[in-house]
Amino acid sequence: MSLQPKVNILLVDDYPENLLALEGVLENLGQNLVRATSGAEALRHLLNQDFAVILLDVQMPEMDGFETATLIRQRERSRYTPIIFLTAFSSSDQMVFKGYSIGAVDYLFKPIDGEILKSKVAAFVELYQKSDQVQHQASQLAAMNAELQQREEMFRSLSVCCPVGIFLTNTNGVCTYTNPRWQAIYGMTYEQSLGDGWSQALHPLDREKVIADWYAVSTVGKDYRGEFRLLLSGGVERWVYAAASPMLGDSGDVTGYVGTVEDITERKQAQEERIQLIAEQAARQEAENANRLKDEFLATLSHELRTPLTSILGWAKLLRQRKLDELAIARALETIERNASVQAQLIEDILDVSRIMRGKLYLNLSPLNLVNIVTTAVENFRLEAEAKNLQLKTFISPPGTFLVSGDTKRLQQVMWNLLSNAVKFTPNGGNIQVRLSAREDQAEIYVIDTGSGISPEFMPHVFERFRQADGSMTRHHGGLGLGLAIARYLVEMHQGSIKAESQGTGQGATFIVKIPLLQSLDNINYQSGIDHILNSRQSSPPSQTNNHHTSEKVPEELLLQGLRVLVVDDDIDTRNFILTALQKSGAEVTAVDSSDSAFTVMQQLIPDVLVSDIGMPGQDGYSLIRQIRNLTPEQGGIIPAIALTGYVREEDINQALAAGFQMYIPKPVEPSILINSVAQLANSLCHSPDNSHTS
């Protein structure tokens, strides 16, 4: 049961039966419902009460809802009270705009959906309650500030009249306050006493010991007691006795020190200057390290992006000269494709890190067999390992199924990153082992190599972002230093752990991944049941069709035979690529460069499938699909639509599907994926019982 007081909700309608109906809908909210049968009565209620929200009928005799709302807004106390207009008279834009122009927050037309009304009112009730809580907290804060100010004035009065010197420092020993007696003892003004100025008066012969004594107690949060000498201007020595105690925060951490100084003619000098120097040096060193890491990462990023770009542009220019033989052309195309894939992977790694830092990386969990993940990853690196004459072996013990709850794509990414590192850092003729085993309730994956190993100095930083053991320009291995950081995050998202082991440089490395196993499932035989299901899921690609009405397997060049496709993209190169790829599969393609042009085409010819970019000047892809979805089916309002875009965040995907696209494909896209996606969407829509579109 809520302990919050009830809030007022004003119901205004000249028909009592309408008020009764509104009360029936809203009574479950548990709030105070106030009735008014006219605008004048509503204004009288507002003289004595505040309301969380006002439900106001538009059509009322004498004073209609618009006039009433205008008067409500003229009163300072109700200037910002939410007003929801209720009417059955008209849904014209002119009336709606009039309502909003005089301060309405919403407009509902009768007959009113009770659930919608209740949810809207509940939202304003909650907002009102929260605002009330904020005001209450503000009042409490003001009272606390007043008390704090009073206490501060009391402290200052005591400090000024105190016969001993008083000082405050932060945790680094930097002085933040001194009283007049302290200033007299030190022979300084208030401004001179702040920061580390006081340490200038310490005697050179005592400075080292005083600093050591202070550092010894301040680093562990203990009291300080000491005698030391001051060397004032003109060579005058003065002994002082200083005592300081730590000030503790609410969590028990030391937030600073409060101390006193008595003139006993120059006691041993406190050591704040040295402590401050050490702190400044540490901060400077940390800043230098951070700048160095940033510069190294930017240099590495530039190198890793420019290197494949050099191959892509170079081979492209050679191809344009049309002087290459068939073998060289094939090599050029393979090189361009491979280096473009490298660039795409670099971008994907950076986007993954961005998702991780924003907390926007999600998993698509389902039961899966780790055996398939491990063996597939190993086979993907088989050719690369053979090229370096590496022995790449897999050991699974005991043989069988290792069932976990996981995201297939992301676990494959973990294995890819670990194996990529192993192959990259293992010299020709070396060995790499991948071992999968089970211990208690966890699956354990070992990736063991005989490569360059990890130095003890770098071991604590192995899984940090942007960190590489060799950040120099002469390093032998590429990469941005993101793979292991991403792998650690993905493993931890699977409730697992990952660690690295190495005997040192040149001694190889071992990476160990542990992921919880699923508990045994009753009445299911792992070998015959689960393996069969998992293998069939992971090895059976969706079938494509020829005429979009059969399940026969057909050549890709005939997959879109006779299919009319409308392509929308403002980038001419991308547009020509999509047009060419789809035409080669038999599609009849119309390609335009803007949403306006696409909508014009739709009015003349209704295509079978729409493939649209999202980020375009003027009207973007979201606006285009919403405009199309407002058309009737006969006008093309239910056309199957694919969003093809370089925006790849989770929120971008959700926004595209919510806007009306059935499918989402990130750029860059391979021709086969594009073609199969168009065919799959066209096939699924024409096989749908009601020919409706789903996302």
Side-chain angles (χ1 to χ4, degrees):
M1 178 180 294
S2 173
L3 299 179
Q4 291 183 327
K6 293 183 178 181
V7 303
N8 298 322
I9 301 173
L10 182 57
L11 313 177
V12 188
D13 198 302
D14 57 319
Y15 285 97
E17 57 271 23
N18 289 345
L19 293 173
L20 186 62
L22 291 174
E23 289 178 338
V25 172
L26 301 176
E27 61 182 356
N28 289 339
L29 296 179
Q31 307 301 329
N32 185 28
L33 305 178
V34 180
R35 297 173 121 202
T37 57
S38 68
E41 185 180 358
L43 294 173
R44 285 195 295 273
H45 283 303
L46 284 164
L47 292 175
N48 304 312
Q49 295 173 285
D50 291 326
F51 293 90
V53 62
I54 300 173
L55 305 183
L56 182 57
D57 185 27
V58 173
Q59 304 300 322
M60 294 188 297
E62 297 181 3
M63 183 188 301
D64 64 18
F66 294 144
E67 295 171 326
T68 304
T70 301
L71 293 174
I72 290 173
R73 288 290 179 253
Q74 291 176 356
R75 181 171 172 267
E76 182 64 30
R77 190 168 173 176
S78 59
R79 183 181 302 276
Y80 301 106
T81 302
I83 298 175
I84 300 178
F85 277 124
L86 310 176
T87 182
F89 180 72
S90 173
S91 61
S92 68
D93 289 344
Q94 184 177 3
M95 177 169 284
V96 173
F97 291 154
K98 182 178 181 180
Y100 286 133
S101 68
I102 60 177
V105 297
D106 211 338
Y107 218 110
L108 298 179
F109 300 97
K110 301 176 182 178
I112 297 171
D113 187 308
E115 290 302 318
I116 293 178
L117 176 62
K118 185 161 63 175
S119 66
K120 290 178 179 290
V121 172
F124 287 113
V125 167
E126 182 180 1
L127 179 61
Y128 183 87
Q129 291 172 332
K130 290 186 181 298
S131 299
D132 189 57
Q133 291 174 358
V134 170
Q135 292 178 356
H136 179 68
Q137 292 171 355
S139 299
Q140 289 180 323
L141 182 60
M144 293 172 61
N145 286 337
E147 182 181 357
L148 181 62
Q149 185 176 3
Q150 183 179 4
R151 290 180 178 273
E152 184 177 351
E153 290 299 328
M154 182 183 299
F155 166 77
R156 291 187 181 278
S157 178
L158 291 173
S159 176
V160 168
C161 300
C162 185
V164 298
I166 298 176
F167 65 92
L168 297 176
T169 75
N170 63 17
T171 54
N172 291 324
V174 176
C175 186
T176 58
Y177 172 79
T178 60
N179 71 339
R181 179 57 182 162
W182 188 100
Q183 297 158 26
I185 293 173
Y186 274 72
M188 293 182 174
T189 64
Y190 177 74
E191 289 74 16
Q192 292 171 335
S193 70
L194 300 181
D196 61 353
W198 65 271
S199 62
Q200 304 301 320
L202 294 178
H203 196 288
L205 298 179
D206 291 341
R207 181 174 293 117
E208 184 175 352
K209 186 177 186 311
V210 172
I211 291 176
D213 290 345
W214 171 258
Y215 185 81
V217 297
S218 64
T219 53
V220 294
K222 293 183 178 180
D223 292 344
Y224 172 81
R225 300 289 185 271
E227 296 177 356
F228 51 88
R229 289 171 294 177
L230 300 177
L231 184 59
L232 306 183
S233 60
V236 177
E237 290 187 0
R238 181 175 295 163
W239 283 90
V240 296
Y241 172 77
S245 297
M247 296 184 294
L248 303 180
D250 295 337
S251 61
D253 297 331
V254 176
T255 60
Y257 271 79
V258 57
T260 60
V261 174
E262 297 179 65
D263 183 0
I264 60 172
T265 312
E266 310 281 333
R267 292 274 181 176
K268 306 168 182 71
Q269 300 178 1
Q271 188 171 335
E272 297 304 331
E273 186 177 36
R274 181 173 178 82
I275 294 177
Q276 180 65 17
L277 178 61
I278 294 173
E280 289 176 354
Q281 288 176 340
R284 184 164 53 251
Q285 184 64 41
E286 186 66 25
E288 290 173 355
N289 288 339
N291 286 332
R292 178 179 57 82
L293 289 175
K294 179 192 69 175
D295 292 342
E296 287 179 0
F297 173 72
L298 292 177
T300 301
L301 177 60
S302 175
H303 174 271
E304 295 297 322
L305 290 176
R306 288 175 182 273
T307 297
L309 190 60
T310 300
S311 298
I312 293 172
L313 293 177
W315 279 108
K317 289 183 180 297
L318 291 177
L319 287 172
R320 287 179 61 87
Q321 296 175 2
R322 304 181 185 277
K323 296 179 180 180
L324 301 178
D325 56 26
E326 291 297 323
L327 183 61
I329 291 175
R331 180 185 177 189
L333 295 176
E334 188 275 333
T335 301
I336 291 173
E337 182 178 6
R338 183 178 67 254
N339 282 277
S341 298
V342 169
Q343 281 199 321
Q345 185 58 50
L346 290 173
I347 294 171
E348 190 61 33
D349 283 348
I350 295 173
L351 290 176
D352 275 346
V353 170
S354 175
R355 296 184 187 107
I356 290 171
M357 296 176 70
R358 294 183 296 113
K360 296 294 185 179
L361 195 150
Y362 305 105
L363 298 181
N364 183 17
L365 297 176
S366 63
L368 57 86
N369 186 0
L370 277 182
V371 173
N372 297 330
I373 299 292
V374 170
T375 55
T376 299
V378 171
E379 289 307 311
N380 284 337
F381 278 91
R382 183 73 64 186
L383 291 177
E384 191 173 346
E386 291 176 354
K388 294 183 64 175
N389 195 27
L390 300 178
Q391 293 291 326
L392 178 56
K393 297 182 179 180
T394 306
F395 301 90
I396 300 176
S397 178
T401 299
F402 291 75
L403 195 64
V404 300
S405 176
D407 185 316
T408 300
K409 175 184 175 182
R410 292 304 184 180
L411 287 179
Q412 286 175 343
Q413 186 177 358
V414 171
M415 289 302 303
W416 178 277
N417 289 346
L418 294 180
L419 282 170
S420 176
N421 262 19
V423 172
K424 181 191 302 182
F425 291 105
T426 302
N428 290 2
N431 297 306
I432 299 175
Q433 294 183 15
V434 180
R435 295 181 175 272
L436 175 60
S437 60
R439 178 174 298 183
E440 297 178 351
D441 58 348
Q442 287 190 322
E444 297 183 344
I445 303 172
Y446 286 73
V447 178
I448 308 167
D449 65 61
T450 58
S452 56
I454 306 171
S455 67
E457 295 78 17
F458 187 70
M459 183 64 76
H461 309 292
V462 165
F463 295 104
E464 292 181 9
R465 293 190 296 268
F466 312 133
R467 293 295 291 263
Q468 299 186 81
D470 181 6
S472 67
M473 295 177 63
T474 59
R475 61 197 180 97
H476 299 291
H477 308 287
L480 298 178
L482 302 179
L484 292 180
I486 295 172
R488 179 181 65 174
Y489 188 84
L490 293 177
V491 170
E492 290 175 351
M493 287 187 72
H494 284 82
Q495 309 302 314
S497 64
I498 184 172
K499 69 176 182 178
E501 296 178 350
S502 177
Q503 296 300 315
T505 304
Q507 301 298 312
T510 299
F511 287 86
I512 306 168
V513 175
K514 296 182 180 181
I515 298 177
L517 288 166
L518 286 178
Q519 299 298 317
S520 298
L521 304 179
D522 295 337
N523 303 322
I524 295 182
N525 183 291
Y526 272 22
Q527 297 298 326
S528 61
I530 296 297
D531 275 341
H532 173 74
I533 294 172
L534 292 175
N535 289 333
S536 64
R537 283 181 180 178
Q538 297 181 9
S539 62
S540 300
S543 61
Q544 306 296 339
T545 63
N546 179 20
N547 57 9
H548 317 299
H549 295 281
T550 71
S551 59
E552 293 183 15
K553 191 73 175 180
V554 296
E556 187 175 274
E557 59 268 19
L558 300 177
L559 199 57
L560 306 181
Q561 190 69 39
L563 196 70
R564 294 174 299 181
V565 182
L566 174 58
V567 174
V568 189
D569 200 303
D570 63 302
D571 183 76
I572 186 171
D573 293 331
T574 303
R575 190 167 65 249
N576 289 337
F577 155 68
I578 299 172
L579 182 147
T580 303
L582 297 180
Q583 284 181 337
K584 285 183 176 296
S585 289
E588 299 175 7
V589 185
T590 301
V592 296
D593 62 357
S594 68
S595 296
D596 291 338
S597 298
F599 201 73
T600 301
V601 171
M602 290 284 296
Q603 295 175 336
Q604 302 170 354
L605 173 68
I606 301 177
D608 299 310
V609 176
L610 169 69
V611 179
S612 176
D613 187 22
I614 294 296
M616 295 183 290
Q619 193 178 45
D620 61 18
Y622 299 132
S623 301
L624 172 61
I625 194 63
R626 292 191 189 102
Q627 192 175 9
I628 291 175
R629 293 297 180 238
N630 286 331
L631 299 174
T632 65
E634 294 76 15
Q635 295 173 321
I638 60 173
I639 179 177
I642 297 175
L644 178 62
T645 175
Y647 295 107
V648 295
R649 301 175 302 170
E650 292 290 338
E651 50 264 45
D652 298 322
I653 299 174
N654 294 334
Q655 185 176 357
L657 297 178
F661 289 99
Q662 282 86 14
M663 190 176 291
Y664 180 96
I665 303 177
K667 294 178 180 178
V669 62
E670 294 185 7
S672 59
I673 294 178
L674 175 64
I675 293 166
N676 286 319
S677 298
V678 172
Q680 180 182 354
L681 183 59
N683 181 57
S684 65
L685 268 296
C686 69
H687 278 78
S688 177
D690 58 358
N691 201 30
S692 62
H693 298 272
T694 62
S695 59

